Amino acid sequence: MNTPEELSKETATTNLMQSLSTQKSRRSVLKVAVASAAGATLAGAGVFLSSKNSAHASSLSMEGPEDSIVQILSIAATAEQLAIAFYHEGIEHADKLNITGANLDYLIAAIIEEQIHRDFLVAAGGKPITDTFSFPKGEATFANLDKFVATLEQLEEAFIAAYLAAVKEFALYNQPGLAQIAAQIMGVEAEHRGLGRSISPNFPFANNFAFEPALVESVGDAVGYLQASGYLSPKKDNSYTYHRISTDNKNVIQRTPYTAPEDND
């Protein structure tokens, strides 16, 4: 039986995600979801914004980006917490899944990288919307290798699509620096997908995409995609909470976005 605290988290998450999925007011509801963070997080995101580009962004028409920069950072940070919760369970159940050696190293590296991404996004101004999640196949996700890998594949494809959308939305804001960082994170998520598929012999051609599919039009649309897929509906016996993990591992490098210095050409 769930504790009152767990029930409270599940109810809060369910209510929030139900409201987020209401297409009639998707944009306004997302604003409500991060409203308490709006002022402070805009200041945090400002580290990447020039006054010139901010002015340009404010003049964009309604045909421009669908999400604010704060919303993009917040949704992305939430997705990273979902990823951490998933990889944590996979590592905890590695024996049952028969994941060992280099395959286990893939998961360990992935969870550290997701934590680094999450921390970067929060430092930039993102405020995660929830820290409690579900998985489409519940506990069975972590008892059967092919179910685990299929879930990994679906999650990483959603994350890749969300970051692709972020690249586009940041470009519409005339923020090439942010667009480049989103692409840098997206590249790592694509590595996770390929390496994750390689864990099971039943997923041939681990790196089987010539182009990563843009499954969503905007970062905000990724919320509805994840909810429809069964990741944002925690309930009894299918509730998994994000907990911060240590990133202390010297094998994971490039821990901050690297950009080649300008050559003044």
Side-chain angles (χ1 to χ4, degrees):
M1 180 176 295
N2 288 7
T3 66
E5 181 181 359
E6 290 171 334
L7 290 171
S8 177
K9 283 186 176 182
E10 291 176 7
T11 300
T13 302
T14 300
N15 290 342
L16 175 60
M17 296 311 165
Q18 285 177 344
S19 64
L20 283 172
S21 66
T22 304
Q23 295 300 311
K24 182 178 179 180
S25 58
R26 183 187 60 77
R27 185 180 301 180
S28 62
V29 174
L30 281 170
K31 288 180 180 178
V32 171
V34 295
S36 63
T41 53
L42 275 172
V47 68
F48 303 108
L49 297 169
S50 68
S51 57
K52 178 181 177 180
N53 288 343
S54 296
H56 174 82
S58 65
S59 67
L60 290 172
S61 71
M62 290 300 291
E63 295 181 355
E66 294 188 24
D67 307 297
S68 73
I69 290 177
V70 173
Q71 290 164 1
I72 294 169
L73 295 171
S74 298
I75 293 168
T78 305
E80 297 292 351
Q81 292 190 168
L82 168 57
I84 294 164
F86 170 75
Y87 282 115
H88 171 77
E89 292 297 321
I91 293 167
E92 288 292 302
H93 293 84
D95 288 345
K96 182 179 291 187
L97 294 167
N98 195 29
I99 297 177
T100 61
N103 289 335
L104 182 57
D105 288 342
Y106 297 159
L107 302 186
I108 293 171
I111 195 172
I112 292 172
E113 289 152 5
E114 305 291 23
Q115 185 69 63
I116 291 171
H117 295 165
R118 182 265 180 199
D119 292 347
F120 179 87
L121 293 162
V122 170
K127 292 289 184 182
I129 300 168
T130 184
D131 63 0
T132 306
F133 308 96
S134 56
F135 296 106
K137 299 188 182 303
E139 293 180 353
T141 307
F142 308 104
N144 176 279
L145 180 60
D146 285 347
K147 286 186 173 73
F148 175 78
V149 174
T151 302
L152 184 155
E153 180 180 42
Q154 184 178 47
L155 278 173
E156 292 295 352
E157 288 176 9
F159 301 152
I160 291 165
Y163 281 113
L164 282 172
V167 171
K168 182 178 73 173
E169 292 197 90
F170 286 142
L172 290 171
Y173 275 117
N174 194 28
Q175 293 295 329
L178 284 173
Q180 180 172 272
I181 292 170
Q184 288 174 298
I185 297 176
M186 187 276 292
V188 176
E189 304 298 349
E191 290 181 8
H192 294 171
R193 177 188 179 275
L195 290 171
R197 281 174 53 85
S198 74
I199 292 174
S200 171
N202 296 322
F203 289 76
F205 282 87
N207 55 330
N208 63 336
F209 280 169
F211 292 91
E212 297 293 346
L215 301 175
V216 295
E217 183 181 4
S218 69
V219 176
D221 289 341
V223 176
Y225 179 87
L226 288 170
Q227 183 183 27
S229 300
Y231 294 99
L232 302 176
S233 303
K235 57 185 178 181
K236 184 178 179 180
D237 298 327
N238 190 0
S239 181
Y240 299 85
T241 300
Y242 157 78
H243 297 287
R244 179 177 179 78
I245 61 98
S246 171
T247 60
D248 185 18
N249 188 310
K250 65 181 181 180
N251 293 308
V252 176
I253 60 176
Q254 297 291 348
R255 289 170 173 254
T256 57
Y258 174 78
T259 302
E262 294 186 8
D263 56 12
N264 297 319
D265 285 349

